[in-house]
């Protein structure tokens, strides 16, 4: 009879939280200087802003790295060759890969580390191997003329991250000097525009249907523009539900999010396990009226099986009153 979000007060560590990453204005020339947002033993979730090209190489010895490019464009050079990257790209970089980025426009990117683990593609089941994207759209690095042109005999440094500590190795040449490679372990690029979300006109599909990458203790899902359910009796947005098994992070990349009010691109929400949450009142009312027939949202969601710790962030980044945003 009552929405489970109609609380009078909320005290303790499990309150819903929201953060405005647009207020994190720092610039880091290395991913190891990126701002830590949330973490647990299996996941590091960071925000990286870089204006100028990297002047060194990096290698992550702790786990696979998944980049989501929120803004900007550039060229990625790695052991396997060259990739052009742009806004909306996922770039999965396996653990131990040597890489750097030359910026063409200032970059803002999420860094999602699968600590001591690797990324896989989710099982597609009976919907077939071409859902939610055709594997043929996965782009891999190429040893092309752009890659060969950066193979200089100048001094280069590699900064390796292992167990959170940094080690610097100096070479008298650029170690990105491969002439060829083979195998199945390699970086891949995937843009959200290549995704074709599963849809049902009668049933609001659970977020797991939109899983894009799978790690051992968390999943990364992508919400993309799609038609809204059209059956008169269908739910048209995520209903009230409990977080029993996962801590849920959502990063809002662009558009107006279907179930949220007062959330703009560049914001992040955290709904910890152990609480109920659901649509904001205005979003709920708009969905029940059925005035929208299509979503325009793009968002990255992480469901973490283990509780997340929130890092210390500058004052003003967290929207302290988010817990009260469900009050009518």
């Amino acid at each position: 009879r009552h929405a489970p979000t109609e609380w009078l007060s909320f005290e303790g560590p499990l309150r819903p939280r929201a953060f405005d990453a647009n207020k994190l204005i720092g610039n880091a020339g290395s991913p190891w200087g990126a701002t830590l947002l949330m973490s647990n033993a299996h996941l590091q979730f960071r925000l990286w802003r870089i204006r100028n090209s990297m002047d060194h190489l990096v290698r992550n010895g702790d786990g696979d790295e998944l980049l989501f490019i929120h803004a900007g464009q550039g060229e990625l050079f790695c052991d396997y060759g060259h990739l052009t990257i742009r806004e909306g790209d996922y770039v999965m970089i396996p653990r131990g890969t040597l890489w750097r980025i030359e910026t063409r426009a200032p970059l803002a990117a999420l860094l999602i580390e699968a600590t001591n683990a690797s990324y896989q593609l989710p099982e597609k089941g009976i919907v077939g191997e071409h859902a939610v994207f055709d594997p043929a759209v996965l782009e891999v690095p190429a040893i092309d003329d752009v890659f060969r042109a950066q193979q200089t005999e100048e001094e280069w440094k590699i900064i390796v991250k292992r167990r959170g500590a940094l080690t610097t190795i100096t070479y008298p040449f650029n170690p990105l000097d491969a002439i060829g490679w083979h195998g199945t372990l390699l970086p891949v690029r995937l843009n959200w525009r290549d995704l074709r979300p599963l849809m049902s006109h009668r049933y609001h599909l659970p977020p797991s249907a939109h899983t894009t990458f799978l790690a051992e203790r968390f999943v990364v899902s992508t919400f993309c523009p799609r038609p809204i359910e059209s059956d008169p009796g269908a739910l048209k947005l995520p209903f009230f539900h409990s977080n029993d098994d996962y801590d849920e992070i959502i990063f809002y990349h662009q558009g107006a999010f279907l179930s949220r009010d007062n959330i703009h691109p560049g914001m992040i929400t955290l709904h910890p396990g152990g609480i109920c949450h659901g649509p904001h009142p205005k979003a709920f009312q708009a969905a029940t009226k059925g005035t929208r027939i299509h979503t325009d949202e793009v968002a990255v969601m992480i469901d973490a099986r283990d509780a997340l710790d929130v890092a210390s962030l500058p004052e003003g980044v967290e929207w302290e009153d988010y817990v009260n945003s469900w009050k009518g």
Side-chain angles (χ1 to χ4, degrees):
R1 292 190 301 164
H2 301 285
T5 51
E6 292 180 355
W7 42 69
L8 288 176
S9 63
F10 208 115
E11 299 177 8
L14 293 186
R15 73 185 190 280
R17 302 176 71 175
F19 309 86
D20 191 345
N22 298 295
K23 296 181 178 180
L24 293 168
I25 58 176
N27 176 67
S30 170
W32 310 147
T35 302
L36 178 66
L37 300 171
M38 302 170 203
S39 63
N40 60 32
H42 309 281
L43 166 66
Q44 296 278 314
F45 179 58
R46 294 168 289 156
L47 179 74
W48 184 30
R49 296 187 187 277
I50 176 172
R51 285 191 289 269
N52 302 313
S53 299
M54 294 171 61
D55 62 1
H56 61 280
L57 296 155
V58 295
R59 177 183 290 138
N60 192 340
D62 288 326
D64 285 9
E65 195 84 70
L66 182 66
L67 281 68
F68 178 77
I69 310 301
H70 177 53
Q73 58 184 331
E75 312 297 328
L76 180 130
F77 297 94
C78 66
D79 287 318
Y80 303 86
H82 161 242
L83 269 176
T84 296
I85 59 176
R86 66 183 180 106
E87 172 271 320
D89 280 344
Y90 285 105
V91 184
M92 195 287 292
I93 303 177
R95 172 165 39 177
T97 301
L98 198 59
W99 61 277
R100 68 181 178 91
I101 289 177
E102 289 187 3
T103 56
R104 296 287 174 258
L107 280 177
L110 301 180
L111 300 178
I112 310 170
E113 178 190 281
T115 306
N116 202 32
S118 60
Y119 283 106
Q120 308 290 327
L121 297 180
E123 293 292 333
K124 306 298 180 68
I126 60 175
V127 297
E129 63 177 325
H130 300 292
V132 175
F133 59 86
D134 188 332
V137 304
L138 292 174
E139 186 178 350
V140 302
I143 297 180
D144 53 18
D145 290 341
V146 177
F147 181 68
R148 285 186 284 267
Q150 58 89 54
Q151 295 177 346
T152 66
E153 299 300 315
E154 299 169 351
E155 184 176 292
W156 277 87
K157 295 182 184 298
I158 301 173
I159 301 179
V160 184
K161 183 174 82 73
R162 174 65 172 164
R163 301 182 68 188
L166 302 181
T167 297
T168 301
I169 308 168
T170 303
Y171 287 87
F173 54 85
N174 184 349
L176 297 183
D177 59 355
I179 59 173
W181 56 268
H182 67 252
T184 56
L185 179 68
L186 69 163
V188 295
R189 187 189 74 88
L190 174 71
N191 194 281
W192 68 260
R193 296 170 180 85
D194 296 321
L195 301 179
R196 301 171 296 200
L198 296 178
M199 296 177 291
S200 169
H201 73 290
R202 298 191 65 192
Y203 172 59
H204 186 84
L205 297 174
S208 55
H210 307 292
T211 299
T212 314
F213 293 95
L214 182 69
E216 290 181 6
R217 301 290 293 180
F218 65 92
V219 301
V220 179
S221 302
T222 312
F223 299 131
C224 297
R226 61 172 180 83
I228 292 176
E229 295 79 7
S230 58
D231 187 280
L235 294 174
K236 296 182 172 58
L237 76 173
F239 207 58
F240 302 108
H241 56 283
S242 296
N243 285 27
D244 295 325
D245 299 310
Y246 295 89
D247 276 14
E248 172 203 278
I249 305 171
I250 298 181
F251 175 81
Y252 303 88
H253 174 55
Q254 68 179 44
F257 200 67
L258 180 65
S259 60
R260 292 284 170 265
D261 295 329
N262 302 311
I263 294 290
H264 52 260
M267 293 189 72
I268 300 164
T269 57
L270 169 65
H271 299 119
I275 65 170
C276 294
H277 74 283
H280 280 119
K282 290 181 181 179
F284 177 76
Q285 293 170 11
T288 54
K289 290 178 181 177
T291 54
R292 293 180 64 186
I293 62 173
H294 200 277
T295 72
D296 67 349
E297 68 195 29
V298 180
V300 176
M301 186 181 79
I302 302 170
D303 271 341
R305 187 66 184 84
D306 306 280
L308 290 159
D309 297 316
V310 177
S312 296
L313 297 169
E315 185 176 355
V317 171
E318 181 168 2
W319 176 16
E320 298 285 352
D321 205 42
Y322 178 63
V323 67
N324 295 317
S325 60
W326 281 269
K327 294 182 179 180

